[in-house]
Amino acid sequence: MDEWQAESLLIERDEKNREVSHTIYLGMNSIILTAQNLRPEKTGIHARLSIALNATELAFTVCNIERSDERTRIVNEAYKFLGSTPEEASMTIDKGSLKFKLNQFCKEAWDAWLSVQSPVDVEGTDTSAVSYVLKPHVLTGGGTIMFGKPGRGKSFTAMMMALAVNYGTNHYWDTDKGKALFINLERPDRTIPPRINAVGKSLGLNSTSLAVYPGRSKRFVDIRDILERYILKEDIKFVVLDSISRTGAGDMKEDKVATATIDMLNLLGVSWVAIAHTPKYDDRIYYGSSQYEAGADVMLRHSAKIVDDEGSIVVLLEVTKANDMPIPRPMGLHYSFDNIGLSAIRTATKTETAPLVDDSNLYQSIKEYLMESGGNTASELSYIYDRDEKEVTSHLRSMFTANVLTSVGSKNNEKVYGVLV
């Protein structure tokens, strides 16, 4: 709780609850004036303005606090509850004094809110600022956008992340255990409990539960106050939003909409992952303004392919952008399904994920694959990675010239390449 001294008022500023307040002490009683969610609008400074006697709120309104008639109206309403008659109410505080104090408070509230947000001198340190709630994909207090094709397992991956943090499991990520919230704006509500159960069992959890907001077809912009209150009350540490296309802020291709969406997520005050989709023509990029990538701390590409008749999926998670952290190696997962739904999760092999590797990571991926396999020909690698042989050969020649690879034999009149130890 910060304090700001105006000319005649001591105003307290509460960043966590996004409010400022001033207390009028009256012997055994006190009148508390509060302005919550202060913000500039075209017509002036707006807020949720309230007057309370001790811990009891007498009156509140959402208004332009710079308008005299709004202030007069809330004083009149609050004064009715200070006593059964004006004379009795004036024994606590007379109406003129209450109106005068409220006028002063509303005049200084915005400056008080801004005062502690001024730039400050920051001394550099040699300690790392990097910490994770879900290593290596979600920073503590940071935001990650996970993007990929529709219907290719993103919701299962996001559910895994939420449960991993909620229960502190470390099968696939190192986690900082804390309460997680899954905001479901896309899936039918009836599908969520089976998913929680299936993913939990696949993570080795005997019984699972997870805080879920059942908001299919709702807009995030309409429910964010509900979520902010719940997050604060329940001490939520990690939030998953399925999906960012349901925020309701406007056209996702507009920069202002993207910026507003990132701001809404950051104002939740916790680590978050938001699911995004890719356009039909290219699954290597997300749909929407470049400001989504600019605002997120991590961009996580979720590519996947169906690998058998049962609908099993191989997933590759690749970080394409990161702030304040090293780019981690791609992570491969394998989801098995039966006639009921998800039945098992395991780490995918490099052979399984090879065709999903992004072009920008192909060089490094081939090198790592050859380290594990011991050696392969260009045609074998072309088949494994589902790439044109000329492209693969070009990478092999570059690594051979740089003394990264060496020849370890031949097969069918082709050179076998291996990593030079």
Side-chain angles (χ1 to χ4, degrees):
M1 182 76 74
D2 300 297
E3 294 181 343
W4 186 81
Q5 182 70 61
E7 185 174 342
S8 57
L9 291 182
L10 181 63
I11 298 178
E12 294 181 322
R13 182 182 182 281
D14 187 342
E15 175 72 27
K16 191 172 186 180
N17 292 316
R18 296 162 59 191
E19 66 183 31
V20 294
S21 62
H22 169 64
T23 302
I24 305 169
Y25 293 101
L26 306 165
M28 298 295 292
N29 295 312
S30 59
I31 298 289
I32 304 168
L33 311 176
T34 302
Q36 191 176 49
N37 194 22
L38 280 154
R39 62 201 182 277
E41 301 284 357
K42 291 181 180 180
T43 57
I45 304 300
H46 285 61
R48 182 188 186 276
L49 189 62
S50 69
I51 300 175
L53 176 63
N54 301 324
T56 303
E57 191 171 68
L58 305 179
F60 74 90
T61 184
V62 176
C63 66
N64 180 347
I65 65 173
E66 295 179 313
R67 291 180 61 88
S68 178
D69 57 340
E70 297 281 8
R71 299 194 300 270
T72 299
R73 190 175 296 114
I74 191 173
V75 167
N76 289 338
E77 184 178 348
Y79 212 69
K80 297 175 185 177
F81 298 99
L82 289 177
S84 57
T85 65
E87 292 75 18
E88 185 178 336
S90 65
M91 294 178 66
T92 302
I93 185 173
D94 67 86
K95 186 181 289 189
S97 296
L98 180 58
K99 177 67 182 299
F100 179 75
K101 287 292 187 182
L102 183 66
N103 288 345
Q104 286 184 297
F105 172 70
C106 289
K107 179 182 177 182
E108 304 294 345
W110 182 242
D111 283 343
W113 178 251
L114 294 178
S115 64
V116 295
Q117 299 190 56
S118 302
V120 296
D121 288 330
V122 178
E123 185 176 349
T125 67
D126 57 4
T127 58
S128 173
V130 180
S131 63
Y132 299 86
V133 71
L134 190 86
K135 189 177 182 179
H137 294 142
V138 185
L139 290 164
T140 302
T144 296
I145 294 179
M146 181 170 65
F147 62 98
K149 280 185 176 181
R152 294 300 177 92
K154 294 190 302 299
S155 293
F156 281 111
T157 303
M159 184 70 74
M160 283 177 61
M161 290 176 167
L163 287 172
V165 173
N166 203 63
Y167 286 90
T169 63
N170 58 0
H171 295 72
Y172 307 103
W173 299 276
D174 289 333
T175 57
D176 184 10
K177 184 178 180 181
K179 289 184 179 180
L181 169 65
F182 192 94
I183 305 170
N184 172 45
L185 304 183
E186 289 208 347
R187 310 285 154 229
D189 295 339
R190 60 179 173 76
T191 66
I192 300 302
R195 285 181 181 232
I196 293 174
N197 182 64
V199 173
K201 284 185 176 179
S202 299
L203 292 174
L205 302 171
N206 294 324
S207 61
T208 51
S209 64
L210 181 67
V212 176
Y213 182 84
R216 190 187 188 196
S217 301
K218 292 183 180 179
R219 305 186 312 167
F220 181 79
V221 69
D222 296 329
I223 62 173
R224 61 174 177 163
D225 288 344
I226 298 171
L227 298 173
E228 287 177 6
R229 178 173 293 186
Y230 182 84
I231 288 167
L232 184 63
K233 179 183 176 183
E234 299 297 330
D235 194 24
I236 298 295
K237 187 173 193 173
F238 177 53
V239 166
V240 172
L241 173 64
D242 187 5
S243 71
I244 206 168
S245 62
R246 301 287 182 178
T247 55
D251 187 341
M252 293 182 65
K253 292 178 286 187
E254 294 184 4
D255 291 348
K256 289 183 178 180
V257 171
T259 301
T261 298
I262 296 296
D263 287 345
M264 284 192 292
L265 288 166
N266 286 335
L267 284 172
L268 295 177
V270 296
S271 304
W272 55 265
V273 167
I275 294 176
H277 303 304
T278 58
K280 291 182 179 180
Y281 59 84
D282 191 350
D283 66 352
R284 293 171 298 176
I285 61 174
Y286 61 92
Y287 178 83
S289 163
S290 61
Q291 294 304 308
Y292 288 105
E293 182 171 354
D297 296 289
V298 177
M299 295 298 295
L300 184 61
R301 180 174 179 252
H302 185 288
S303 53
K305 67 171 184 173
I306 300 172
V307 293
D308 59 29
D309 294 337
E310 283 72 39
S312 297
I313 296 175
V314 170
V315 170
L316 186 67
L317 299 175
E318 296 176 282
V319 172
T320 62
K321 176 250 181 172
N323 290 338
D324 298 323
M325 60 174 261
I327 300 291
R329 290 183 176 182
M331 175 189 292
L333 299 169
H334 183 286
Y335 299 162
S336 297
F337 294 85
D338 55 26
N339 59 344
I340 298 177
L342 180 70
S343 59
I345 300 172
R346 63 170 172 81
T347 300
T349 65
K350 287 192 176 295
T351 301
E352 290 172 324
T353 60
L356 296 171
V357 172
D358 186 68
D359 292 343
S360 61
N361 293 327
L362 185 58
Y363 180 102
Q364 182 64 25
S365 182
I366 289 175
K367 176 185 173 183
E368 292 176 359
Y369 187 86
L370 290 173
M371 290 177 65
E372 289 192 4
S373 69
N376 292 97
T377 65
S379 59
E380 287 175 332
L381 291 168
S382 175
Y383 175 79
I384 290 168
Y385 281 90
D386 193 21
R387 295 294 206 284
D388 185 272
E389 190 169 334
K390 290 182 180 180
E391 181 185 6
V392 172
T393 300
S394 175
H395 283 299
L396 292 173
R397 286 175 178 171
S398 296
M399 285 186 272
F400 190 85
T401 303
N403 291 323
V404 174
L405 301 184
T406 185
S407 174
V408 294
S410 62
K411 185 187 298 183
N412 299 327
N413 295 321
E414 281 193 82
K415 183 180 292 186
V416 177
Y417 292 92
V419 176
L420 185 63
V421 180

